[in-house]
Amino acid sequence: MAQIKSIEQVIHDGAKLFMPSVSVDCVIFGFHDNQLKVLLLKMKGADQWALPGGFIYRDEDIDEAASRVLRERTGIQDIFLKQFHVFGQPKRSDKKFHLNMMKKDGIKVNKDNWIIQRFITTGYYALVDFQFVKPTPDFSSVSCEWWDLKDIHELFMDHKNILDRALETLRLQLNYQPIGYNLLPEKFTMPELQKLYETILDKSLDRRNFQRRMSGFGFVKRLKETRQGGAHKAPYLYSFDLKKYKKALEEGLQGGW
Amino acid sequence: MAQIKSIEQVIHDGAKLFMPSVSVDCVIFGFHDNQLKVLLLKMKGADQWALPGGFIYRDEDIDEAASRVLRERTGIQDIFLKQFHVFGQPKRSDKKFHLNMMKKDGIKVNKDNWIIQRFITTGYYALVDFQFVKPTPDFSSVSCEWWDLKDIHELFMDHKNILDRALETLRLQLNYQPIGYNLLPEKFTMPELQKLYETILDKSLDRRNFQRRMSGFGFVKRLKETRQGGAHKAPYLYSFDLKKYKKALEEGLQGGW
DNA sequence: ATATCATTGCGTCGTTATGACACAATGATA
DNA sequence: TATCATTGTGTCATAACGACGCAATGATAT
């Protein structure tokens, strides 16, 4: 499984290497400066941004394919990753657009080539610790960057729709998946955790009730250190008790937000 | 899009009609005699039961393909249907098994035929009103029957795994999807609704607290009729106020079970 | 040095929701 | 007519929740 290095290679060898008709797209979430971020690729030959994606090798598990894409784009080995939806409308990819894009880039491709057939894609969302990511573009893109969630309005193909669905899934799974654990660094403050919840839920929460409830769950432990350097009172640092966290999530955190 | 009538036809025309590599499988839930039921197919040429499934026509939405499978197996037009997971392990289908099965059935198939390639399948779960279903086998099966959930132990390929995942999804989405509405007949009793919840959650609930809480949500309305014919006190009939039900589900029913 | 001020940590209070259980009403069966 | 499983309604103590008060902290301004 040699890594793909050019569009030409995909066009030439794709049909042989990969499964036809199927792809994966990844919504990679990070959290930094109290903002939810998404990793995007700027595409070659078009002034558009896209979600990182890829194809499935003929003998590769689809989850492993997504995991591989994640590794290649972020440099991180073990990443929290979940499927959330299959996007299978016949019109979701625009053949003419693809052909034009490649033409611009000086690439010749036959009209019945593997790459411009209809694809059904499985959407994955991933949660990463922002600080460890080394954004790396792939063969189809010129750069790979973190975007602030609120600044993303238009994306390649149906990728904005995919992103919106990922966010919706994140919201629904907040009580069932270790979302805080995977998005935050090992040590974090209660206001940071709250801000993460508020961003995902898109609503503000009462600071004191949030603290009480979160503490009540019993899976965050307060450390003896405080976060220094802020302009005000130094808040305590916390970390997750992963064992207790996962146990609590199995049943689902009780109550709504 | 002519309906497929025989295995021979699929083998012969499949590659032309359908997308390669992708399929759908449906876990069709019903509720009858206070039991959760699943619709299964008994396969030709093998003493095994399988989930209803199908392929995706080259110009068909994947959700529509699942919907079509549902229509053909149940005779019902509008069915509640949700994707829940993609099963994409390379080893999930066993080429040799398929070849043997067809051999038994006296069907010749080339080793590189479309049908025995690797398939990635998208699992859907469907909720239907038991009484309206007319179970109908497809080209690959000799019969189509309702099975009691608790009697299903082994299925074709990885279908038992798919079923288990569907059930897990049902459990997790109980507070977010109109599951009661779609599984129960228009009029139902509170004990019936409770039994449905208990079956899905696999735990018993206090009758009186269940009634209080369910009434408190405000989307079940008590009718003036009672269910006659039972051996004991005749319970009141209820029906859903669909508008209020859906509104409540948007935010998710608060609290756990 | 001292006052200012946003932020943090901890607590109160009234209301509501929850789990556990009691008891009377119903209506087919014995 | 008595019996009995089942249904409808209610009680009560406890826990959880939302809204809010207030003092402690520590960087910045005066």
Side-chain angles (χ1 to χ4, degrees):
Chain A
M1 282 196 205
Q3 195 172 318
I4 296 298
K5 302 222 167 97
S6 69
I7 296 179
E8 288 86 347
Q9 192 189 347
V10 172
I11 290 168
H12 188 262
D13 296 335
K16 182 177 66 192
L17 290 171
F18 300 114
M19 296 196 70
S21 309
V22 288
S23 59
V24 295
D25 284 299
C26 301
V27 181
I28 307 172
F29 289 107
F31 193 68
H32 187 66
D33 286 340
N34 275 345
Q35 298 283 354
L36 203 53
K37 310 270 187 180
V38 177
L39 202 60
L40 296 179
L41 298 174
K42 185 169 187 180
M43 310 206 59
K44 282 181 189 166
D47 192 21
Q48 279 195 300
W49 292 79
L51 295 173
F55 306 110
I56 297 122
Y57 284 105
R58 288 200 168 262
D59 195 36
E60 183 182 40
D61 187 344
I62 186 166
D63 288 346
E64 169 55 27
S67 185
R68 174 173 49 79
V69 168
L70 267 282
R71 276 200 303 279
E72 291 173 0
R73 285 322 119 242
T74 65
I76 302 178
Q77 285 290 329
D78 293 306
I79 287 187
F80 179 90
L81 184 64
K82 292 269 175 207
Q83 289 179 20
F84 66 93
H85 196 74
V86 178
F87 300 86
Q89 290 187 298
K91 305 286 180 205
R92 60 176 292 275
S93 51
D94 180 348
K95 272 190 194 182
K96 283 181 188 168
F97 179 87
H98 278 84
L99 282 170
N100 273 335
M101 208 174 78
M102 297 196 190
K103 203 174 171 183
K104 263 193 198 168
D105 227 41
I107 294 166
K108 282 173 194 166
V109 56
N110 205 305
K111 276 185 186 173
D112 60 357
N113 184 278
W114 171 86
I115 192 91
I116 53 170
Q117 300 306 302
R118 174 186 169 194
F119 273 83
I120 288 174
T121 200
T122 299
Y124 285 80
Y125 75 89
L127 307 176
V128 299
D129 186 345
F130 185 90
Q131 63 181 323
F132 296 129
V133 175
K134 290 185 179 63
T136 311
D138 69 0
F139 67 89
S140 76
S141 51
V142 294
S143 74
C144 180
E145 292 173 26
W146 285 110
W147 275 66
D148 222 289
L149 187 66
K150 64 182 189 326
D151 297 331
I152 304 172
H153 301 110
E154 254 185 48
L155 291 176
F156 181 61
M157 278 171 57
D158 59 346
H159 287 195
K160 181 59 164 64
N161 179 39
I162 296 178
L163 170 57
D164 290 342
R165 291 293 298 257
L167 195 60
E168 188 191 330
T169 305
L170 207 58
R171 195 166 321 180
L172 288 171
Q173 300 199 342
L174 199 50
N175 283 353
Y176 300 91
Q177 298 293 346
I179 291 174
Y181 177 78
N182 285 287
L183 278 174
L184 291 173
E186 197 190 335
K187 299 174 183 180
F188 55 91
T189 67
M190 200 52 86
E192 284 163 4
L193 182 59
Q194 183 182 341
K195 187 69 191 167
L196 173 58
Y197 270 69
E198 289 181 333
T199 307
I200 292 172
L201 295 166
D202 196 25
K203 71 160 99 167
S204 57
L205 302 169
D206 182 276
R207 181 179 63 85
R208 294 150 290 189
N209 294 335
F210 180 83
Q211 187 133 179
R212 178 179 51 186
R213 226 177 125 204
M214 199 52 77
S215 301
F217 288 136
F219 52 70
V220 285
K221 48 179 187 242
R222 194 170 83 178
L223 308 177
K224 282 169 187 169
E225 319 162 56
T226 54
R227 164 88 78 225
Q228 302 297 336
H232 302 285
K233 180 175 177 177
Y236 279 104
L237 287 171
Y238 290 79
S239 71
F240 284 98
D241 182 327
L242 190 53
K243 207 171 168 182
K244 288 183 185 169
Y245 192 14
K246 289 198 170 168
K247 193 165 185 179
L249 290 169
E250 274 174 29
E251 293 293 310
L253 304 189
Q254 295 309 6
W257 298 97
Chain B
M1 282 196 205
Q3 195 173 318
I4 296 298
K5 301 222 168 96
S6 70
I7 296 178
E8 288 86 350
Q9 193 189 347
V10 172
I11 290 167
H12 189 261
D13 297 335
K16 184 177 65 190
L17 289 171
F18 300 114
M19 295 195 70
S21 309
V22 288
S23 61
V24 296
D25 283 299
C26 301
V27 181
I28 307 172
F29 289 107
F31 193 67
H32 188 65
D33 286 340
N34 274 346
Q35 298 281 355
L36 202 54
K37 310 271 186 178
V38 177
L39 202 60
L40 296 178
L41 298 174
K42 185 170 189 181
M43 310 207 57
K44 281 182 189 167
D47 192 22
Q48 280 195 297
W49 293 79
L51 295 173
F55 306 110
I56 297 120
Y57 285 105
R58 289 203 167 259
D59 194 36
E60 183 183 40
D61 187 341
I62 187 166
D63 288 346
E64 170 54 27
S67 185
R68 174 173 50 78
V69 168
L70 268 283
R71 276 200 304 279
E72 290 173 1
R73 286 319 121 243
T74 64
I76 303 179
Q77 285 289 328
D78 294 305
I79 286 186
F80 179 89
L81 184 64
K82 292 267 176 210
Q83 290 179 18
F84 66 93
H85 196 75
V86 177
F87 300 86
Q89 291 187 298
K91 306 286 180 207
R92 61 176 293 275
S93 52
D94 180 348
K95 273 191 194 182
K96 283 180 189 169
F97 179 87
H98 277 83
L99 282 169
N100 273 335
M101 206 174 78
M102 297 198 193
K103 202 174 174 183
K104 263 194 199 168
D105 229 39
I107 294 166
K108 284 172 191 164
V109 56
N110 205 304
K111 276 185 185 172
D112 60 357
N113 184 280
W114 170 86
I115 192 89
I116 52 170
Q117 301 305 303
R118 173 185 170 194
F119 273 82
I120 288 176
T121 201
T122 299
Y124 285 79
Y125 75 89
L127 307 175
V128 299
D129 186 345
F130 185 90
Q131 63 182 323
F132 296 131
V133 174
K134 291 185 179 63
T136 311
D138 69 2
F139 66 90
S140 74
S141 52
V142 293
S143 74
C144 180
E145 291 173 27
W146 285 109
W147 275 65
D148 222 288
L149 187 65
K150 65 183 187 328
D151 297 331
I152 304 172
H153 301 111
E154 256 186 46
L155 291 176
F156 180 62
M157 280 170 56
D158 59 346
H159 287 196
K160 181 59 163 65
N161 178 39
I162 296 178
L163 169 56
D164 290 341
R165 292 293 299 255
L167 196 59
E168 187 192 329
T169 305
L170 208 58
R171 195 164 309 159
L172 288 172
Q173 300 199 343
L174 198 52
N175 283 353
Y176 299 92
Q177 298 293 345
I179 290 173
Y181 177 78
N182 285 287
L183 279 174
L184 292 173
E186 196 190 335
K187 298 173 183 180
F188 55 90
T189 67
M190 200 53 85
E192 284 164 4
L193 181 58
Q194 184 183 339
K195 187 70 191 166
L196 174 58
Y197 269 71
E198 290 182 333
T199 307
I200 291 173
L201 295 167
D202 196 26
K203 71 160 99 166
S204 58
L205 303 169
D206 183 276
R207 182 178 63 85
R208 297 150 290 190
N209 294 336
F210 180 83
Q211 184 132 183
R212 179 179 51 187
R213 209 161 144 219
M214 199 50 78
S215 302
F217 288 136
F219 52 68
V220 285
K221 47 179 187 241
R222 195 169 82 177
L223 308 177
K224 283 169 184 167
E225 317 160 59
T226 55
R227 163 88 78 223
Q228 302 297 335
H232 302 286
K233 178 172 180 178
Y236 279 104
L237 287 170
Y238 290 77
S239 71
F240 284 99
D241 182 327
L242 190 53
K243 207 171 168 182
K244 288 182 185 169
Y245 193 13
K246 290 199 170 169
K247 192 166 185 177
L249 290 169
E250 275 174 29
E251 293 294 309
L253 304 189
Q254 294 309 7
W257 298 99

